[in-house]
Amino acid sequence: MGSSTSHLSKELLTEYQELTFLTKQEILLAHKRFSDLLPQESRNVEDSLRVRVSTEQILTLPELKANPFRERICRVFSTAPERDSLSFEDFLDLFSVFSDAATPEIKSHYAFRIFDFDDDGTLNKEDLKQLVNCLTGEGQDTQLSTSEMKQLIENILEESDIDRDGTINLSEFQHVISRSPDFTSSFKIVL
Amino acid sequence: MARSSSFILPIPEGRESPSPDLSPYDESIVHDSFHQLIQEQSQRVEAEALELQEWPPRDKGGGSQSLRGPQEYCSATLQILANMPSRTIGRSRGAIISQYYNQTVRLRRKNSRPLLRDMSRSARPSIRQYDLELDLNPREEEEKRSLLVKELQGLTITQRNHMLRDMPLSLTEKRCLRQDSCIHRGRQRHHQGSQTQLYCCSRLKYHCIIAFRSLWYGLLSGLHALKPWRCHLKQISGQFGSSVLSYFLFLKTLVSFNILLLSLLLPFVVAVQVAFPPTSEFPVSSFTGLELFTGAGRFTHTVMYYGYYSNFTLNQPCSSHQNSDHCPPRAVHLPYNMPLAYLFTIGISFFITCITLVYSMSRSFGKSYQVGSTLGVHAITVFCSWDYRVTQRWASLQHDNIRTQLKELLAEGQLKQHPRSVCGRLRQMTVLLLVWLLSLGSALGCAIAVYSFSEFMHENHEVRTQMISEKLQEASLLALPLIVCIISLVVPYLYNVLASWEQHDSPVLEVYVAICRNLILKMVILGLLCYHWMGRKVRSLEDQCWETFVGQELYRFMMMDFIFTLVDTLFGELVWRLITERLKQDRKPEFDVARNVLELIYGQTLTWLGVLFSPLLPAIQLLKLLFLFYIKKISLMANCQAPRKPWRASHMTTIFITLLCFPSFLGAAIFLSYAIWHVRPSRTCGPFRTLNTIYEAGKVWIRHLEEASPSVTWFTWIHQYLVENTFFIFLVSAVLLAVIYFNIQVVKGQRKVICLLKEQISNEGEDKIFLINKLHSLYEKRATTS
């Protein structure tokens, strides 16, 4: 772990380790995977920390390919103005939130952002509808019928919308998530 | 609220003014829905009247007022809506910064270390309980940020790192914050003098925690990779749903219980006896295939049964009076008291099994039943059920699984909404009563049949000894297990037929009722058999080894049970599928979860009953379970279909574990206690042959201890006054009951508080809707008048 050109410097590694939930080995592995997505000429350390990778390339990763929320994940973690590319630090952020050591509060915060398809800060009926369609599958025949969808969304709002305004905000979402013991174990992506 | 004239509001003119809370991304691009609408609205200035559509009326609460959709509000209202704290906290950087500023201040005031998990939930930034330096005016983001940096500087390094790590901001932001708070750090070094010790300790603790944590996670991920049957279970749950999966998970639990038993019995009892085999006075018979079924013959005088075990101390030094003629030189002279080891190992393994069962029961109760209102199962299924680790191959199975689950949930909700009339309920009650009477009657009838058959076999055993060959005699021992297994196979089908007459409201209840009836049948038969063994067989086999006989009986029952399960699975389901294919019906057989689970519980009860008499029985049960897993899975995949009536299996695991604990384990423990405390061991074999009861071995040992060292009298005192005296047990039970009552009252109180809080929150929500609607009407009036 010296300061050779193909590795991250020790100080940087320590800083990343203290600010994220990843271990040093995981950070190095993430750097390697990120560099593999870059074009050949920008695979050295300085460039890899500067250059951004487009969303299409990130989506070729096998860990993300099968995920129905993959576009939302990339959009949420991207800090570019058009939100269509990830830098290395965004990439680290992604895997930090999805790692084993992340707290349930962080995970539920980002889960909320991922499920908020229109980015308005709450989950309304449209968001929930899109969410359920993502979960049930791509094809026409795998989706729920209109009446089932309507019934399901009503049930969800009845159970989670405590202030009865027709939308689920972050506090209500976190309250619902806290009652499920499975959330932290399922909201994980490992490199 | 009729004083609208004094309602002064800084209404923003023009299309969009930059909101004070900058989000991580440019708001005008992100909020497409609002942005577009704001543009449209501001283009149609005065001419059009807005169409006011009613939001679909909700069932409960809300009343006449409700929040309308975004297209019905004017741009200014939309602006205000978009900036409400409950919405900004989910998306805006400024809101996150101010929230963490609050937390940091609170932390500094308390002057305590942050617990890693003890951060408060997202409080609204507008609710600031502290004093006036924390203000109510909206501030620019830069100002908020600098306040946060100042607060961060007041914390120790570990606290700062934890705080930064837990913030839901991007990594770049966090690095900037950290750099800024580090710059000023140097100036504060001279304040740190008195705190250096604390600083070192916190650093050490931090390193220890990190090291432990990485070790633990490494171990967990290693274990996760090793998890047995993970792919099989995923396949099953994807195709058949969670109800069938619960059977296989229960099988896995039983495997772990048997491994627990074996891990104690093998090293302490079996291995030692194998290392020091007793001199055998019996001729070794040849191995015929029949031993595998009857457990007798070649297997009788092996380490498998109680009769083989020695009743003296093994590996004693040569100075002892016994066996002085052959005293082979041994490397290590470590005396091992066999009877004591036998008694204590069995006692301790049962105790540990009991504790594990009660613990897993309470844990699954804790997961499935919670304080407060509905569990929110729809919301939890939708938000939490997608496993993000899934790869391409299994993704479609996950989609199927989740879809099935959602449909199941919706179907159950539908069923709750159509209750019956009084007449229908009365009719249902009478049918129910009739069916219950019939099933209990048949259980009783089967019990009597088994009892009379066992008496018949017992009477004729002595008569027939001289007349037929030994082999046939051995085979006739299999008759009783055969009858019991046939009854266990046939009667549940009868119960299924009876159950089709009654129509329950929920499929879950049907399953519970079926389980109950089958359980009563099996427990009655087992109870009868135990009575038969402890009563008749002990008395008639006085001079022989009755314990070995009981061990063999249990082995035979287990073998028969396994054979019948195989037959039922392979032929029953296969034949049914062929028949339905021939008849061109589209109904494959369904997997009957209740019946199969009870078979598993029955097998485990037999193991626990027989552990005292045959220490290797858990090993046989383990092998049986491993075979069963693969056989059941193969048959399931080939022959069965997913259950037609979709129903939830969320409480099933709790029920299964409870059934395993209460009738099954408790019954076995009672039987064992009776055998240890009251029954006289046989004189000719086994580790307790010279004693009056098995329990006496412990008493004898204590007496030896007392004689050896008089300072151990407190031990006998404990034994005399606490174990044998019943007053102590009454006292402990009374204290336990008081604690339970107290906890029940606490839970009741918590439920009431939760209801009150929920009411309060929904009242606040109504207030909010009222205010927004008022705001909207105000803007409308203003738009029409100006």
Side-chain angles (χ1 to χ4, degrees):
Chain A
M1 260 182 259
S3 47
S4 59
T5 51
S6 57
H7 293 298
L8 297 172
S9 69
K10 201 170 177 195
E11 298 82 34
L12 198 59
L13 203 61
T14 320
E15 193 178 350
Y16 283 152
Q17 194 219 337
E18 284 175 354
L19 290 179
T20 62
F21 292 99
L22 299 169
T23 62
K24 287 198 174 126
Q25 290 87 347
E26 288 170 341
I27 296 173
L28 288 170
L29 183 60
H31 185 248
K32 181 174 163 307
R33 297 292 293 273
F34 188 77
S35 310
D36 289 338
L37 293 171
L38 291 170
Q40 192 65 29
E41 59 274 5
S42 16
R43 279 192 192 175
N44 54 356
V45 177
E46 296 88 44
D47 282 342
S48 64
L49 295 177
R50 236 181 348 104
V51 174
R52 290 179 165 271
V53 172
S54 70
T55 311
E56 290 82 33
Q57 277 199 288
I58 297 276
L59 292 180
T60 59
L61 285 173
E63 288 85 7
L64 286 179
K65 226 190 325 190
N67 200 315
F69 303 111
R70 51 190 180 271
E71 285 108 9
R72 279 299 304 165
I73 291 175
C74 287
R75 223 177 130 82
V76 163
F77 284 98
S78 164
T79 51
E82 298 86 27
R83 302 179 67 199
D84 61 350
S85 58
L86 293 178
S87 68
F88 176 60
E89 291 185 346
D90 298 336
F91 194 72
L92 270 189
D93 235 348
L94 202 160
F95 285 102
S96 163
V97 167
F98 279 104
S99 73
D100 257 328
T103 58
E105 284 79 23
I106 279 262
K107 285 191 193 249
S108 53
H109 190 106
Y110 277 94
F112 182 79
R113 293 246 286 263
I114 290 173
F115 293 153
D116 189 9
F117 283 84
D118 54 8
D119 283 318
D120 63 350
T122 57
L123 303 179
N124 54 18
K125 291 193 178 188
E126 273 307 312
D127 289 328
L128 291 174
K129 187 158 169 216
Q130 270 186 287
L131 176 59
V132 173
N133 282 336
C134 279
L135 282 176
T136 53
E138 303 291 322
Q140 261 314 94
D141 52 339
T142 55
Q143 293 184 351
L144 296 180
S145 68
T146 330
S147 58
E148 283 176 337
M149 180 70 81
K150 186 164 163 300
Q151 179 68 35
L152 182 63
I153 291 180
E154 266 180 36
N155 288 345
I156 294 175
L157 284 174
E158 169 124 5
E159 289 161 1
S160 3
D161 188 15
I162 306 179
D163 60 2
R164 307 252 167 252
D165 64 348
T167 63
I168 302 176
N169 61 20
L170 180 63
S171 322
E172 290 161 351
F173 181 78
Q174 285 185 325
H175 182 67
V176 167
I177 294 289
S178 69
R179 286 188 286 194
S180 157
D182 298 322
F183 178 67
T184 26
S185 53
S186 64
F187 200 74
K188 262 189 223 165
I189 298 179
V190 182
L191 272 177
Chain B
M1 283 274 275
R3 297 177 292 148
S4 20
S5 50
S6 60
F7 202 97
I8 300 168
L9 213 63
I11 300 171
E13 305 291 322
R15 301 198 321 180
E16 71 255 18
S17 41
S19 92
D21 274 334
L22 283 177
S23 58
Y25 1 88
D26 195 2
E27 290 233 346
S28 60
I29 294 175
V30 163
H31 295 246
D32 295 320
S33 54
F34 284 149
H35 179 65
Q36 235 173 329
L37 289 162
I38 288 168
Q39 275 188 319
E40 282 170 23
Q41 288 287 340
S42 50
Q43 274 162 17
R44 316 181 240 149
V45 172
E46 286 138 2
E48 283 178 52
L50 295 164
E51 274 180 35
L52 298 173
Q53 291 166 5
E54 271 307 309
W55 197 251
R58 305 195 52 170
D59 305 343
K60 301 179 184 163
S64 57
Q65 56 191 7
S66 46
L67 205 57
R68 303 175 202 161
Q71 49 281 30
E72 287 119 24
Y73 289 119
C74 62
S75 58
T77 322
L78 283 176
Q79 204 92 53
I80 291 178
L81 257 183
N83 286 325
M84 275 202 304
S86 64
R87 296 193 185 203
T88 56
I89 188 64
R91 61 161 213 266
S92 132
R93 194 174 59 195
I96 295 172
I97 286 181
S98 55
Q99 179 199 339
Y100 277 89
Y101 166 61
N102 290 344
Q103 283 188 4
T104 325
V105 166
R106 233 175 285 148
L107 201 63
R108 223 168 38 79
R109 275 162 200 269
K110 275 194 206 154
N111 202 18
S112 60
R113 298 262 157 73
L115 297 166
L116 293 173
R117 296 201 170 256
D118 211 1
M119 298 301 188
S120 62
R121 288 275 152 70
S122 58
R124 292 175 169 200
S126 62
I127 300 172
R128 306 189 187 213
Q129 322 110 310
Y130 290 88
D131 26 320
L132 298 171
E133 26 171 286
L134 314 176
D135 55 292
L136 296 164
N137 308 323
R139 282 178 173 191
E140 296 298 330
E141 193 200 319
E142 273 313 306
E143 224 180 304
K144 280 189 226 167
R145 195 174 176 283
S146 54
L147 277 173
L148 178 63
V149 167
K150 212 168 62 167
E151 289 299 331
L152 281 176
Q153 288 157 12
L155 300 174
T156 62
I157 284 193
T158 40
Q159 285 175 330
R160 188 163 41 95
N161 282 335
H162 281 160
M163 190 58 99
L164 279 173
R165 208 174 49 170
D166 289 339
M167 283 191 199
L169 295 170
S170 69
L171 191 54
T172 331
E173 292 276 335
K174 289 191 213 179
R175 287 182 72 196
C176 293
L177 279 171
R178 187 178 143 128
Q179 264 171 359
D180 289 343
S181 46
C182 260
I183 289 172
H184 304 281
R185 192 99 190 128
R187 294 190 207 143
Q188 295 193 345
R189 283 259 175 236
H190 61 279
H191 289 306
Q192 294 285 318
S194 57
Q195 294 180 7
T196 36
Q197 232 176 1
L198 210 63
Y199 171 70
C200 285
C201 285
S202 72
R203 217 189 197 172
L204 188 67
K205 189 169 137 188
Y206 179 64
H207 282 309
C208 283
I209 289 177
I210 292 287
F212 177 68
R213 214 179 220 188
S214 42
L215 193 70
W216 178 243
Y217 284 122
L219 196 70
L220 274 185
S221 57
L223 277 179
H224 180 79
L226 285 178
K227 239 191 230 178
W229 300 326
R230 199 163 46 103
C231 309
H232 295 286
L233 290 176
K234 255 207 161 117
Q235 216 182 347
I236 293 170
S237 74
Q239 252 185 300
F240 293 96
S242 46
S243 56
V244 173
L245 183 68
S246 57
Y247 167 79
F248 288 92
L249 288 176
F250 188 67
L251 205 154
K252 225 171 82 153
T253 319
L254 286 182
V255 165
S256 55
F257 274 118
N258 281 304
I259 290 180
L260 177 72
L261 270 180
L262 270 183
S263 64
L264 281 171
L265 283 171
L266 276 181
F268 292 110
V269 173
V270 176
V272 174
Q273 191 63 63
V274 164
F276 300 100
T279 52
S280 63
E281 312 88 65
F282 304 99
V284 175
S285 46
S286 57
F287 180 79
T288 58
L290 203 59
E291 269 90 19
L292 288 174
F293 296 109
T294 60
R298 178 81 174 81
F299 287 164
T300 315
H301 302 292
T302 55
V303 82
M304 217 164 107
Y305 295 112
Y306 172 97
Y308 187 75
Y309 291 86
S310 343
N311 72 330
F312 45 82
T313 311
L314 300 166
N315 200 17
Q316 263 196 340
C318 285
S319 54
S320 72
H321 61 280
Q322 18 172 257
N323 303 335
S324 50
D325 45 347
H326 46 88
C327 191
R330 298 248 162 96
V332 179
H333 279 287
L334 208 63
Y336 194 83
N337 192 342
M338 196 65 206
L340 216 56
Y342 199 91
L343 175 66
F344 280 164
T345 312
I346 300 230
I348 289 174
S349 55
F350 258 71
F351 185 67
I352 293 181
T353 313
C354 180
I355 303 245
T356 318
L357 262 178
V358 169
Y359 174 71
S360 45
M361 201 171 71
S362 67
R363 216 170 49 144
S364 45
F365 256 109
K367 270 196 234 167
S368 17
Y369 299 103
Q370 289 184 349
V371 177
S373 53
T374 57
L375 283 174
V377 73
H378 292 89
I380 288 176
T381 311
V382 166
F383 294 140
C384 308
S385 52
W386 182 268
D387 187 352
Y388 286 69
R389 286 170 293 190
V390 79
T391 53
Q392 194 68 43
R393 216 171 104 207
W394 300 110
S396 55
L397 279 177
Q398 270 231 327
H399 284 300
D400 286 340
N401 202 5
I402 292 179
R403 195 177 47 252
T404 320
Q405 253 187 312
L406 287 174
K407 290 201 179 193
E408 285 171 9
L409 284 176
L410 288 171
E412 196 174 308
Q414 287 287 71
L415 284 170
K416 281 194 191 142
Q417 285 178 5
H418 300 292
R420 291 171 201 248
S421 64
V422 177
C423 200
R425 264 192 295 195
L426 209 63
R427 200 176 29 199
Q428 198 196 9
M429 289 293 245
T430 41
V431 171
L432 213 65
L433 209 63
L434 194 67
V435 171
W436 267 103
L437 278 173
L438 275 174
S439 34
L440 286 175
S442 60
L444 208 62
C446 292
I448 293 173
V450 167
Y451 184 68
S452 41
F453 188 75
S454 63
E455 288 291 306
F456 171 72
M457 290 298 295
H458 185 77
E459 301 292 316
N460 289 354
H461 184 73
E462 282 93 51
V463 173
R464 278 187 282 119
T465 315
Q466 291 86 30
M467 296 213 293
I468 40 180
S469 68
E470 268 194 32
K471 268 233 171 140
L472 218 55
Q473 208 181 323
E474 245 183 72
S476 68
L477 288 171
L478 288 173
L480 185 61
L482 198 71
I483 296 286
V484 169
C485 282
I486 289 177
I487 289 178
S488 299
L489 188 69
V490 168
V491 176
Y493 284 116
L494 174 70
Y495 286 160
N496 276 351
V497 168
L498 288 176
S500 60
W501 291 349
E502 41 180 52
Q503 289 144 0
H504 285 286
D505 282 332
S506 72
V508 193
L509 198 60
E510 269 182 40
V511 176
Y512 289 168
V513 163
I515 287 179
C516 217
R517 289 185 190 142
N518 285 324
L519 195 69
I520 291 174
L521 174 73
K522 290 196 151 72
M523 291 301 140
V524 161
I525 291 182
L526 270 182
L528 205 71
L529 285 169
C530 290
Y531 169 73
H532 176 72
W533 290 324
M534 287 291 114
R536 286 298 218 116
K537 286 295 176 193
V538 171
R539 264 177 285 137
S540 68
L541 290 175
E542 278 277 357
D543 49 347
Q544 296 164 40
C545 207
W546 65 264
E547 290 98 346
T548 304
F549 181 77
V550 173
Q552 284 169 347
E553 281 277 270
L554 281 162
Y555 175 86
R556 285 191 278 266
F557 271 85
M558 268 180 63
M559 270 299 136
M560 271 294 139
D561 182 46
F562 180 53
I563 291 170
F564 267 76
T565 314
L566 274 181
V567 164
D568 182 34
T569 309
L570 294 176
F571 290 114
E573 285 168 5
L574 184 67
V575 165
W576 193 305
R577 180 175 68 99
L578 290 174
I579 289 176
T580 54
E581 262 178 23
R582 199 59 66 86
L583 295 176
K584 299 277 191 276
Q585 282 180 9
D586 203 18
R587 281 180 39 193
K588 279 187 177 175
E590 278 180 21
F591 189 78
D592 193 345
V593 178
R595 203 160 56 89
N596 283 298
V597 164
L598 281 178
E599 296 272 343
L600 287 178
I601 294 181
Y602 176 71
Q604 190 61 35
T605 317
L606 289 175
T607 313
W608 279 330
L609 285 173
V611 136
L612 181 64
F613 307 111
S614 167
L616 279 184
L617 215 56
I620 296 168
Q621 169 78 350
L622 188 66
L623 285 171
K624 187 177 128 182
L625 287 173
L626 291 174
F627 269 127
L628 212 59
F629 183 91
Y630 291 105
I631 291 170
K632 285 280 176 191
K633 181 175 173 270
I634 291 170
S635 164
L636 182 75
M637 291 291 170
N639 299 331
C640 297
Q641 65 169 14
R644 253 174 311 138
K645 279 194 213 160
W647 49 274
R648 230 178 341 123
S650 52
H651 297 319
M652 278 297 159
T653 331
T654 317
I655 301 282
F656 296 157
I657 286 274
T658 313
L659 287 177
L660 191 67
C661 188
F662 279 122
S664 166
F665 182 76
L666 199 67
I670 290 174
F671 176 71
L672 213 73
S673 320
Y674 180 75
I676 290 182
W677 252 289
H678 280 282
V679 182
R680 196 196 172 88
S682 63
R683 292 221 175 280
T684 53
C685 63
F688 304 103
R689 53 190 96 154
T690 50
L691 303 166
N692 281 328
T693 61
I694 296 180
Y695 187 65
E696 254 190 45
K699 280 198 203 165
V700 163
W701 175 63
I702 290 177
R703 230 177 290 141
H704 279 317
L705 271 186
E706 259 189 349
E707 286 163 18
S709 55
S711 58
V712 197
T713 43
W714 56 266
F715 203 70
T716 44
W717 182 86
I718 288 178
H719 180 256
Q720 201 183 347
Y721 286 105
L722 294 184
V723 178
E724 292 202 331
N725 190 1
T726 47
F727 174 69
F728 182 70
I729 297 190
F730 279 132
L731 194 66
V732 168
S733 320
V735 167
L736 215 62
L737 282 172
V739 167
I740 291 173
Y741 176 73
F742 175 73
N743 277 313
I744 290 176
Q745 293 304 314
V746 165
V747 163
K748 269 196 202 167
Q750 281 177 345
R751 278 209 189 102
K752 274 197 206 142
V753 168
I754 288 177
C755 280
L756 285 174
L757 286 174
K758 280 215 160 122
E759 253 186 61
Q760 242 184 328
I761 294 177
S762 63
N763 284 340
E764 297 284 326
E766 277 190 31
D767 276 352
K768 182 172 84 175
I769 291 173
F770 175 79
L771 287 171
I772 290 175
N773 288 337
K774 270 288 175 191
L775 207 63
H776 172 70
S777 57
L778 212 71
Y779 281 144
E780 264 195 318
K781 236 190 275 178
R782 191 159 169 140
T784 48
T785 52
S786 65

